Structure formats: C-alpha cells, structure tokens
C-alpha cells in the first residue's frame, strides 16, 4: 500500500479538490496547518485571518467525518515551525510516506517553493492542476496565443461558449447581446429597500479562532468583531440562497452604485467563499442562471453577475499565471509616492475615501467600485507606488489572494502594466463619484469646484495626472476627448489645476 501525504492549503477547502479526488482514506493522511508565514507575509486584516483559520478548522472536521486521518497544526502549537514546508518536514519525520500529493497553490511564491520540495525532502511530489477554475493555464495560453490584446470581453465570450451559460439553443447569447453593462450603471438612493446579507453567529470553533487572532494579531489592521462570514460550505450555500432571493434582481441596476452608510447594497459577498473553496464558480453561476430561467431575476442582473465570475475572475487568474512572477514589478508611470497613512487610519476629509476605508477596516470588504474608482483611482492620480497599493489591497480584504488581487490592482486599477489588461487608465474626477454616490453631499470639499483649497481633490488631481503622463497617454484613442478638452483649456486654468495638485500632494507627503 502506497501511503500518501496530502497538504491542504487555506484556500483549498473543497472536498472536490484535485488532490483528494480518487484517494482512499485508509492510505491517505491530510496535513493542514495554521502558519505564521501565511498569516504575516503581508499584515492581513484580522477578520481575514480569522475567516481562513476558522474555515480550515471546520473543513478539517468535515474531512475527519468522511474518514480521513487529519493532522491539524494550530498556530499556537508550541512545536509549530511557522511555515508550510516546515510542517511537512515535521510530519515526514514522525511518519513515513511514499509520496506527497498536493493541488497547485494559487500564488507564485508558494508554487516556486513547492517545486523544490521533491529534491529537498527526498520524496516524490505530485503537483496537480487546480481544476476548480473553469479555464486551466493551458486554456488561457491557447486563448491568448497570437492575440495583440488580451481583452476580457473576448475571453468572457469564449467562457460563455465553453460553459453554455446564458446561451440559447442556436449558440447565441441570451437576449441577443453578450453584455448588458450599459443598463447596470444606475446610481442608488438611500431610500431604496436595501437587503441585509445573512450573518452567521460564531460557534465554539470560530470563537476559539477569534480569541487566538485577538491575542496574536492585535497590531494588524482591522476590526475583528463582529465576525459573521460564512465558514462552512453549508453556510456559504445559505448565503448564496439569500443573495439570489433578496438581492440578485437589483444587483445589475445598482452594481456600480455607492451610498453613504450602506456597505453592501445588492452585492453578493460571496467572493471570500469562492476564493477559499467553500463554493465553486460553476455551481454559483448555474444557480444564478436558474433564477433567470425561473423568472426570479432579470437578464441584466444575471449576466452582470455571471460576467464577474466567469469573465473577470477567470480572466485575471489567467493573466496572473500567464504573465509570471515578475508581473508585480510593473510600474508603467514610474510612480514612487508612498501609500498615504490615511489608507490605514481613514483620517481624511475626503468623504468617499473615508467611507471606503472605514468600511474596509470594519468589514474587510468593499465592493468593486469602491476599490476601483475611489481608493484605487486616488492612488493612481496621486502617483502612489503600485506595489504599495498592491500590498494594501492584498492585506485588507478578506477575499484578496494574489492571483485575483494583483492583476486587478496593478492592471485594472493602477494601469501599471501599461495597458496589458485595461484599455485605458481608470482615472476619474470627482464628477464620477458624485454621479454614482451621495458621498459628496456631506464632504468638506466641493465637487463642483475644480481647483483651490475647497475643490474636490479628485478634480485637480485628475488633470494633473493627465498632464504629467501626456507623453504616454495622448496616443490612447480612448483618451482623445480628454486631451482635446485639455488643449482647449485656458493656460491659467491649467496652471491652477497643477498648482492645486502640487500643494495637495506636498501636504499629503
């Protein structure tokens, strides 16, 4: 009998993971470990650490119920080596195994470490594809080969055809269009009936984790409690049901909206459950498609949601692995400014930034427009070093793992890859935030004032950004209208914008 050791990582919490498929509990030993290396390679939000550790402990118990022998190493175990490899070494010293079988990690740093295990540990190591995703590395390479531009929209269409999601009997997109995004940009009003996401009370296992995180990670960013994330598959399925029944019908209309005091609006909050393995992307999309088939949700909402998962989520994973570990070094604009302190403290007079950062501190969550068009756009306009922005996003959000966070941050938000992922920088003035939110109503700055001490900083920072990077951006066809407006602007107005930006950024430093 061949004895196999199977390490399971904190974002692989699925009984259908490739490393578990087809194995027999009698000749298989599972290793799961809470280790310092993973909890601290960036200073993760306290809620994020608690989510992963609690979900890991619940999953280990599930595996034991299925008959597996599980070695579970807690963070406060006196013998804990502090690293995944260290725990594998410790396990091999105590028990003889013939081979290690592991599903590919989701990040380059772990993948590169894993590739040296066989030689270092003198044992065969089988690294299996992580087929929870709908596009393998080979699928993405095949799609990308020969293309001048790797645009998500065309990848998304290929994924629709592959999965059959929202495709009619003739092989055409449901409703005659691939994309209903033009219908999904409505601002929301505070008097709308906002559904509340399901909240899950901590059980004894989660309470033990919360006590551990409180004692060991007190200096990390974020509020630990109240803690109400799903930590089991059963809870994640209940959260999915709640989203479909209570929020999905309005998700499309208001997916880009922001409302002061409303943290969640009609968003699903399922990304953390997807990214640690409690839910699979295809099952989530099929459930949402079923809601459309049953007349429970309109096409624009269902298409918009499915696009986020089989479009963006799969696409950014493809970009991450396709571009390799040096992708994180991209800095197209040569931005060098350190991340401002208020990204951690929320001490800023900009109401939109304060709202997004306070919410992030409280919930380890902000929706995609808050991330892209508020905190992300400000960092882009202010010239913050993209690696600082990357590490902040990776640390503060419960759903942030490098494969999904890095391309979204460096490529989509900061345009640091020079247009590999996005066709233009997502730069915007205060007018966008005012259109899509009510943050400006109570802001100390005036969104209709374009420069000077009382002006919305997004206004003059926007024009300063366009002027600073004119040599790199003027030739972009999607910015032609922007530069025509700049060319028509009076010289004293241009100067006022740039002087206001200079003064603001000097104070920021």
């Amino acid at each position: 009998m061949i004895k196999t050791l199977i390490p399971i990582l904190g974002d692989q919490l699925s009984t259908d993971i490739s490393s578990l498929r087809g194995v027999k509990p009698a000749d298989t030993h599972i290793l799961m470990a809470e280790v310092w290396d993973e909890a601290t390679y960036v200073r993760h939000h306290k809620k994020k650490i608690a989510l992963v550790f609690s979900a890991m402990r619940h999953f280990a118990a599930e595996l034991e119920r299925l008959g597996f022998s599980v070695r579970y190493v807690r963070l406060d175990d006196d013998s804990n080596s502090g690293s995944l490899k260290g725990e594998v070494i410790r396990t091999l010293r105590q028990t003889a195994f013939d081979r290690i079988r592991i599903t590919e990690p989701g990040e380059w740093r772990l993948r590169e470490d894993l590739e040296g295990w066989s030689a270092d540990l003198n044992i065969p190591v089988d690294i299996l594809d992580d087929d929870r995703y709908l596009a393998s590395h080979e699928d993405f390479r095949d799609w990308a080969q020969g293309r001048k531009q790797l645009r998500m929209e065309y990848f998304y269409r290929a994924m629709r055809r592959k999965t059959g999601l929202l495709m009619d009997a003739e092989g055409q997109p449901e409703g005659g269009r691939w994309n209903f995004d033009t219908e999904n940009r409505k601002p929301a009003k505070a008097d709308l009936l906002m559904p509340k996401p399901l909240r899950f009370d901590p059980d004894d296992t989660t309470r033990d984790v919360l006590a551990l995180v409180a004692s060991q990670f007190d200096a990390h960013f974020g509020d630990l409690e109240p803690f109400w994330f799903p930590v089991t598959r059963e809870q994640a399925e209940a959260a999915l049901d709640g989203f479909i029944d209570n929020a999905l019908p309005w998700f499309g209309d208001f997916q880009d909206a922001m409302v002061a005091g409303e943290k969640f609006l009609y968003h699903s909050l399922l990304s953390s459950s997807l990214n640690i393995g409690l839910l699979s992307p295809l099952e989530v999309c099929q459930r949402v498609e079923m809601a459309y088939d049953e007349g429970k949700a309109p096409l624009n909402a269902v298409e918009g949601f499915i696009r986020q998962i089989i479009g963006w989520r799969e696409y950014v994973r493809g970009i991450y692995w396709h571009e390799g570990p040096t992708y994180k070094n991209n800095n197209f604009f040569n931005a060098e400014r350190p991340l401002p302190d208020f990204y951690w403290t929320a001490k800023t007079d900009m109401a939109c930034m304060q709202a997004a950062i306070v919410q992030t501190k409280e919930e380890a969550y902000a929706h995609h427009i808050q991330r892209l068009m508020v905190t992300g756009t400000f960092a882009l306009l202010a010239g913050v070093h993209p690696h600082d922005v990357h590490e902040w996003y990776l640390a503060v959000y419960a759903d942030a793992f490098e494969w999904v966070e890095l391309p979204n941050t460096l490529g989509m938000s900061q345009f640091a890859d020079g247009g590999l992922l996005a066709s233009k920088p997502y730069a915007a003035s205060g007018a966008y935030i005012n259109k899509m939110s009510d943050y400006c109503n109570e802001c100390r700055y005036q969104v209709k004032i374009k420069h000077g001490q009382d002006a919305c900083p997004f206004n003059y920072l926007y024009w300063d950004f366009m002027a600073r990077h004119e040599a790199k951006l003027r030739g972009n066809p999607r910015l032609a209208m922007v530069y025509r407006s700049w060319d028509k602007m009076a010289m004293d107005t241009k100067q006022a914008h740039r002087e206001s930006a200079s003064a603001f950024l000097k104070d920021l430093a």
Side-chain angles (χ1 to χ4, degrees):
M1 180 176 68
I2 297 176
K3 292 186 65 176
T4 302
L5 176 65
I6 302 180
I8 299 288
L9 308 183
D11 60 350
Q12 298 180 346
L13 309 182
S14 168
T15 55
D16 193 42
I17 197 80
S18 58
S19 57
L20 290 176
R21 201 173 303 137
V23 302
K24 298 177 180 178
D27 53 18
T28 300
H29 193 96
I30 308 296
L31 170 64
M32 299 181 69
E34 303 165 2
V35 293
W36 282 100
D37 279 3
E38 296 308 304
T40 59
Y41 70 94
V42 295
R43 292 172 67 85
H44 298 289
H45 195 296
K46 290 194 280 284
K47 268 193 174 77
K48 180 180 183 180
I49 298 172
L51 166 65
V52 175
F53 284 2
S54 177
M56 286 174 64
R57 293 186 185 187
H58 283 92
F59 186 66
E62 180 182 355
L63 291 175
E64 288 177 337
R65 288 192 293 271
L66 293 173
F68 287 100
S69 176
V70 180
R71 174 186 174 94
Y72 193 94
V73 183
R74 299 193 176 203
L75 187 82
D76 52 2
D77 185 323
D78 290 340
S79 300
N80 191 323
S81 65
S83 71
L84 177 63
K85 185 177 180 180
E87 288 312 298
V88 170
I89 291 171
R90 207 156 65 92
T91 302
L92 294 175
R93 285 173 178 166
Q94 296 175 12
T95 307
F97 290 94
D98 299 298
R99 66 192 315 105
I100 294 173
R101 175 184 169 100
I102 186 170
T103 296
E104 179 183 60
E107 301 187 358
W108 274 108
R109 62 184 181 83
L110 285 174
R111 171 73 206 211
E112 291 175 326
D113 180 57
L114 193 61
E115 287 172 349
W117 280 16
S118 183
D120 294 346
L121 307 180
N122 195 31
I123 187 172
V125 178
D126 299 327
I127 305 173
L128 307 179
D129 290 343
D130 190 347
D131 55 11
R132 292 175 297 167
Y133 301 93
L134 302 177
S136 67
H137 302 328
E138 184 179 1
D139 289 339
F140 192 87
R141 284 195 300 269
D142 289 346
W143 173 81
Q145 188 173 8
R147 292 177 182 268
K148 293 181 179 179
Q149 294 181 319
L150 304 182
R151 293 290 175 251
M152 188 280 291
E153 179 63 28
Y154 300 106
F155 173 80
Y156 168 57
R157 294 179 187 183
M159 294 300 294
R160 287 271 295 275
R161 293 187 181 100
K162 177 179 179 177
T163 61
L165 289 164
L166 295 180
M167 301 296 290
D168 65 22
E170 285 72 43
Q172 297 301 311
E174 187 71 25
R177 289 157 54 192
W178 292 103
N179 187 315
F180 291 82
D181 210 24
T182 55
E183 299 176 23
N184 294 344
R185 293 169 179 161
K186 299 181 179 71
K189 296 181 180 180
D191 60 357
L192 287 171
L193 179 62
M194 304 287 183
K196 301 299 180 186
L198 283 181
R199 293 173 178 260
F200 301 93
D201 293 332
D203 60 7
D204 289 343
T205 298
T206 300
R207 282 192 287 271
D208 286 346
V209 168
L210 293 176
L212 172 73
V213 174
S215 66
Q216 300 296 324
F217 301 98
D218 183 59
H220 280 222
F221 175 78
D223 297 348
L224 180 58
E225 298 190 64
F227 182 91
W228 50 272
F229 281 108
V231 293
T232 66
R233 177 170 171 80
E234 181 181 20
Q235 290 179 345
E237 288 176 328
L240 172 59
D241 290 340
F243 165 66
I244 291 172
D245 292 341
N246 302 318
L248 177 61
W250 301 276
F251 167 80
D253 290 349
F254 303 114
Q255 65 172 294
D256 287 4
M258 298 173 284
V259 177
E262 293 290 346
K263 300 175 181 178
F264 310 115
L265 285 87
Y266 302 97
H267 292 272
S268 72
L269 280 73
L270 297 173
S271 54
S272 59
S273 294
L274 280 163
N275 291 353
I276 63 176
L278 301 182
L279 295 172
S280 78
L282 186 58
E283 71 173 323
V284 169
C285 291
Q286 288 172 336
R287 288 286 313 282
V288 168
E289 182 185 41
M290 187 182 301
Y292 169 69
D293 291 339
E294 294 173 352
K296 296 179 180 178
L299 183 56
N300 70 303
V302 170
E303 186 278 318
F305 182 81
I306 287 175
R307 178 159 27 95
Q308 287 193 354
I309 296 180
I310 71 169
W312 267 115
R313 185 174 185 269
E314 295 283 335
Y315 169 75
V316 297
R317 178 177 182 264
I319 290 286
Y320 177 79
W321 289 104
H322 187 265
E323 291 304 303
T326 61
Y327 182 74
K328 68 174 62 177
N329 300 329
N330 281 313
N331 188 356
F332 179 70
F333 294 123
N334 299 315
E336 295 295 336
R337 189 176 305 282
L339 189 76
D341 286 346
F342 62 68
Y343 273 76
W344 303 105
T345 66
K347 293 180 179 178
T348 172
D349 289 338
M350 291 178 284
C352 58
M353 290 290 288
Q354 185 182 71
I357 295 166
V358 167
Q359 175 180 323
T360 297
K361 175 179 177 292
E362 292 175 346
E363 306 292 351
Y365 167 83
H367 73 66
H368 66 286
I369 295 300
Q370 292 171 311
R371 300 189 202 192
L372 177 64
M373 300 305 299
V374 180
T375 53
T377 292
F378 181 85
L380 173 68
L381 300 181
V384 177
H385 197 297
H387 196 268
D388 286 5
V389 186
H390 150 59
E391 289 204 334
W392 185 78
Y393 279 103
L394 184 59
V396 302
Y397 291 117
D399 59 1
F401 294 86
E402 193 178 80
W403 65 266
V404 65
E405 173 276 326
L406 181 65
N408 268 308
T409 300
L410 260 72
M412 183 73 167
S413 172
Q414 300 304 296
F415 204 74
D417 63 10
L420 173 72
L421 190 150
S423 59
K424 72 175 183 65
Y426 274 81
S429 68
Y432 175 86
I433 295 171
N434 190 40
K435 176 185 176 183
M436 298 308 302
S437 79
D438 60 359
Y439 293 147
C440 301
N441 295 348
E442 304 299 326
C443 189
R444 168 260 196 260
Y445 297 105
Q446 300 299 308
V447 70
K448 294 188 183 301
I449 300 177
K450 304 304 180 184
H451 46 75
Q453 291 185 347
D454 294 328
C456 170
F458 281 82
N459 289 341
Y460 48 73
L461 288 176
Y462 173 80
W463 287 114
D464 184 65
F465 170 83
M466 291 299 175
R468 287 201 318 270
H469 301 299
E470 183 174 359
K472 291 185 174 182
L473 295 179
R474 182 176 278 274
N476 187 313
R478 295 195 64 191
L479 297 177
M481 186 178 297
V482 172
Y483 282 105
R484 282 198 294 270
S485 296
W486 177 251
D487 292 341
K488 294 176 184 177
M489 205 175 290
M491 187 58 66
D492 59 345
T493 303
K494 291 181 178 181
Q495 185 174 347
H497 284 312
R498 304 217 59 189
E499 288 177 352
S500 295
S502 177
F504 179 88
L505 293 173
K506 182 178 179 181
D507 289 342
L508 190 65

